[in-house]
Amino acid sequence: MIHLTSTGRHSADHMESSDVQRGGGSLRRSPFDLIMNQIRRKRAASDRKPLGRFLSRDRTGIPEDREERGAAEGAESECDAGWGRVCVFLQRLGKKADSRSLNLAHCDLTATDLLELATLLQFLPQLEEMDVSWNGLIGGSLKALTSHLQHAGGVRALRLCSCRLDVEDLAALGEALGCVPLLEILDLSWNSGLGGGALQGLLGKLPPPLKELHLVSCQLNAADATLLGGLLSVLSGLCVLDVSCNPQLSQEVEAFREFSSSLCHAASITTLRLQACGLTEDGLHALGGSLHGLPSLRQLDLSCNRGLSGGLSHLTLHLSHLTHLQSLDLHLCCHTHTDLQDLIQALPSLPALTELDVSSNKEVGGVLHPLLAALPLTQMRRLPLNSCSLSQEAFTALSVCVPYLRSVDVSWCKVVGGHLPLLLDSLQPAVLTELRLSSCELTTEDLQHLAAVCRRGLLSSLLVLDLSYNASVGDEGWSALFAAGGLGSLQEVDLSLRPLTSAPCTAWLPALLCALPPLPALTRLSLQRWTSSTRDRKQLKHCLRKRSVLLEWDPPNEDETSSFKSTNQESPEE
């Protein structure tokens, strides 16, 4: 029942008198009627509902308002129900609902799950990122998802890594890409079924705004190299191309030359990754001749191509075209002394270089002096030299570059053991973020010196510390390091021992336990092959119980368990 105030009753009485006048044939309207009509014309339907209910003289408008309101409420109810279905589906998979990002990687999705997901896309109109990677059971059924992509037209990133996609899947994806015109990132890596011509399904289908294309380890061959060239010809805005780990991609020189020449159509490329693509001197010659068409290139990765040995000059002759190059990765390429000399001569033509990776090349140790002299040392941020057979003289020379580096990696260089202070004393406060000293035959004194550096605050910005495979360090060294403090930003620590070895950590584990609370950013702690009692293990796990820390530690062996049992049995007698 509606209760009218005195003002409301007066208005109602006034309207009734107007109705009587109109019923008698008079067309006059009161000033109040004129004002209310003007208000009704200007206000939206939703805004005038209260006025229509209480003041409108035309009662036929009430059912119309109710229909509009009912339709709106029905649509809203349907939308809420749809979002509820999305939440239930994601909760079943252990995921949280996000209207803009859908991450279902590593969820063991089946073809049935994929179909259900497809029907839910209509309730995600704001979706921008979709990741269903590492779900091998959906291979061969991708069409169930792509046939509904029109409901997710705003998607900008689509990741389908390691889904066992086949030719039909890629054809279905190609047909649906027109429904996602804003797509910027497409990652199809680790799908071996895409090699051998399946890329034909994407030819002419990729949206022009695409900025990143990832096809890592897809078993691409020479025929696919030609198809890649066709794809690149229409992607003028492409910035990142990663076709790493396709060892047959450069198998036929002519096909790879066609691919290389097509790179000029994507002159905006800033990152080109060709790691482990079976590159040879001929392939490098084809690629080098195309570098002049990539003036925007900032990252070039040619690592793990052992066939480049002795032919690096085919690249270095053209490096002067890459005036904006910031990162050059040539690790594990079996470079000869001549290769490195050619590189040294080309380095001054790279004024923007901040990262150079020539690690895992044994000849580097013999040319480190001239290499450092050719680099813009004050702007270098990363220069890994692990497995480079550094000599004592070369290691000493490295100290010139260390003050500017954000990352220092001299792992597998035995000369470091006993001489670590040469490197540590060159550090600048709060600059280094990564320190890797794996398998360096470090001594107890080395770690005690590292502890002193920590106390001085020089490593307050360190995020990653790798001291693995250094069994020569005594308990006093480990204890000193953990008691030092000064590592408040640390995220990853690796103290593992070599495989097939072991050593007790009971003496220094208490120091580690005390050091953990002041490490709030820690996400990974690796203690592989260190042995301890079950009690010590429980203490460490208890210390980490409320933290998201990945603890990598071998399960206790029988000797550890039996030792703990015998200790418990003897303690009552004592």
Side-chain angles (χ1 to χ4, degrees):
M1 178 180 293
I2 300 176
H3 299 279
L4 295 175
T5 62
S6 58
T7 304
R9 284 194 297 269
H10 176 74
S11 299
D13 293 339
H14 185 86
M15 286 187 290
E16 286 178 8
S17 63
S18 295
D19 289 339
V20 171
Q21 290 177 1
R22 185 163 49 181
S26 174
L27 298 176
R28 292 190 308 163
R29 294 184 180 181
S30 69
F32 180 80
D33 290 330
L34 295 175
I35 293 173
M36 294 308 299
N37 285 336
Q38 291 177 359
I39 292 175
R40 278 194 290 268
R41 290 191 188 99
K42 293 180 180 180
R43 294 173 67 94
S46 59
D47 293 333
R48 68 172 183 258
K49 288 175 185 177
L51 295 175
R53 178 178 299 176
F54 296 110
L55 303 178
S56 175
R57 295 184 298 108
D58 186 5
R59 301 301 181 186
T60 59
I62 294 178
E64 182 180 350
D65 287 344
R66 287 177 178 172
E67 289 179 6
E68 293 176 358
R69 185 167 65 253
E73 291 176 353
E76 184 177 354
S77 176
E78 183 180 356
C79 182
D80 290 342
W83 176 247
R85 287 176 54 194
V86 172
C87 294
V88 170
F89 176 75
L90 294 176
Q91 186 177 13
R92 191 174 74 232
L93 298 172
K95 299 288 185 177
K96 292 183 178 181
D98 187 335
S99 61
R100 296 186 181 275
S101 178
L102 189 62
N103 185 354
L104 296 176
H106 300 281
C107 285
D108 294 326
L109 295 181
T110 64
T112 303
D113 295 326
L114 197 66
L115 181 59
E116 183 177 357
L117 171 62
T119 62
L120 296 176
L121 291 181
Q122 59 182 312
F123 305 115
L124 295 168
Q126 297 179 322
L127 193 62
E128 295 182 357
E129 298 183 13
M130 187 189 308
D131 188 352
V132 291
S133 301
W134 306 100
N135 289 290
L137 298 178
I138 67 175
S141 57
L142 190 63
K143 190 173 183 178
L145 177 66
T146 58
S147 60
H148 291 75
L149 275 184
Q150 70 272 14
H151 298 297
V155 167
R156 296 179 181 273
L158 179 60
R159 295 180 172 87
L160 297 163
C161 306
S162 190
C163 291
R164 295 185 180 178
L165 302 183
D166 56 22
V167 177
E168 294 182 359
D169 289 327
L170 214 59
L173 177 62
E175 293 298 326
L177 286 178
C179 300
V180 283
L182 303 180
L183 191 66
E184 296 179 352
I185 301 174
L186 180 60
D187 193 344
L188 303 173
S189 300
W190 309 102
N191 286 291
S192 58
L194 302 190
L199 291 180
Q200 184 74 38
L202 298 181
L203 203 59
K205 307 292 180 58
L206 294 176
L210 195 69
K211 294 182 179 179
E212 296 187 21
L213 179 59
H214 301 266
L215 296 167
V216 178
S217 190
C218 290
Q219 292 193 4
L220 304 182
N221 55 27
D224 297 311
T226 303
L227 290 172
L228 270 175
L231 294 176
L232 294 176
S233 63
V234 295
L235 297 176
S236 57
L238 194 67
C239 296
V240 177
L241 177 62
D242 190 350
V243 290
S244 299
C245 303
N246 289 289
Q248 297 181 351
L249 187 65
S250 60
Q251 193 172 30
E252 294 184 13
V253 178
E254 289 302 321
F256 190 76
R257 181 176 288 110
E258 185 175 347
F259 160 73
S260 299
S261 61
S262 68
L263 291 172
C264 64
H265 296 294
S268 59
I269 286 182
T270 58
T271 300
L272 178 60
R273 298 192 181 103
L274 295 166
Q275 182 189 81
C277 283
L279 282 176
T280 60
E281 289 188 45
D282 292 334
L284 193 60
H285 183 269
L287 178 64
S290 302
L291 293 182
H292 68 278
L294 299 175
S296 302
L297 196 63
R298 285 171 170 74
Q299 297 183 29
L300 178 60
D301 185 354
L302 302 177
S303 60
C304 304
N305 286 291
R306 298 175 182 270
L308 299 184
S309 179
L312 196 60
S313 60
H314 294 301
L315 172 71
T316 57
L317 288 174
H318 304 279
L319 284 180
S320 59
H321 297 294
L322 306 179
T323 55
H324 295 94
L325 192 67
Q326 298 174 353
S327 174
L328 178 60
D329 194 342
L330 297 169
H331 82 267
L332 198 60
C333 288
C334 299
H335 295 307
T336 64
H337 184 83
T338 303
D339 288 332
L340 296 172
Q341 290 290 353
D342 292 334
L343 176 62
I344 290 171
Q345 292 179 9
L347 288 177
S349 64
L350 301 174
L353 196 67
T354 59
E355 299 183 8
L356 175 64
D357 191 346
V358 289
S359 61
S360 300
N361 289 290
K362 294 183 178 181
E363 294 293 331
V364 171
V367 298
L368 190 59
H369 270 287
L371 180 68
L372 294 175
L375 288 171
L377 291 183
T378 57
Q379 67 186 42
M380 292 301 295
R381 297 296 176 260
R382 187 170 178 270
L383 182 64
L385 295 169
N386 49 293
S387 301
C388 284
S389 300
L390 297 183
S391 62
Q392 177 65 50
E393 184 181 5
F395 181 67
T396 304
L398 180 61
S399 61
V400 178
C401 187
V402 166
Y404 310 104
L405 298 177
R406 299 288 187 271
S407 171
V408 172
D409 187 353
V410 288
S411 298
W412 303 90
C413 295
K414 307 305 181 185
V415 69
V416 180
H419 302 94
L420 188 59
L422 289 175
L423 185 148
L424 297 178
D425 291 342
S426 303
L427 295 174
Q428 293 294 319
V431 172
L432 199 66
T433 61
E434 182 180 30
L435 179 60
R436 297 188 181 275
L437 302 168
S438 177
S439 190
C440 287
E441 295 187 357
L442 299 180
T443 65
T444 300
E445 291 73 19
D446 286 330
L447 251 66
Q448 289 173 338
H449 196 88
L450 178 59
V453 169
C454 292
R455 283 194 294 270
R456 296 202 301 269
L458 297 180
L459 296 176
S460 59
S461 297
L462 196 67
L463 304 178
V464 178
L465 177 60
D466 185 356
L467 299 173
S468 59
Y469 297 4
N470 284 291
S472 51
V473 176
D475 294 335
E476 298 83 359
W478 297 117
S479 298
L481 175 63
F482 299 132
L487 295 171
S489 300
L490 202 60
Q491 297 178 357
E492 297 185 22
V493 183
D494 193 344
L495 309 175
S496 301
L497 298 176
R498 292 177 181 273
L500 303 180
T501 64
S502 64
C505 63
T506 305
W508 52 264
L509 191 61
L512 174 61
L513 294 175
C514 293
L516 288 177
L519 301 178
L522 190 67
T523 59
R524 175 176 172 262
L525 174 61
S526 185
L527 299 171
Q528 301 284 19
R529 267 83 64 185
W530 286 102
T531 61
S532 69
S533 66
T534 305
R535 179 182 299 168
D536 290 338
R537 287 177 176 270
K538 288 184 177 180
Q539 287 181 343
L540 179 57
K541 291 181 179 179
H542 179 77
C543 187
L544 299 175
R545 71 188 187 284
K546 294 183 179 180
R547 301 173 59 176
S548 299
V549 178
L550 175 62
L551 177 60
E552 299 175 350
W553 203 358
D554 302 298
N557 54 39
E558 295 181 0
D559 293 338
E560 292 180 69
T561 306
S562 60
S563 174
F564 175 69
K565 288 181 178 179
S566 63
T567 302
N568 283 347
Q569 292 171 355
E570 293 172 1
S571 54
E573 299 178 2
E574 296 175 357

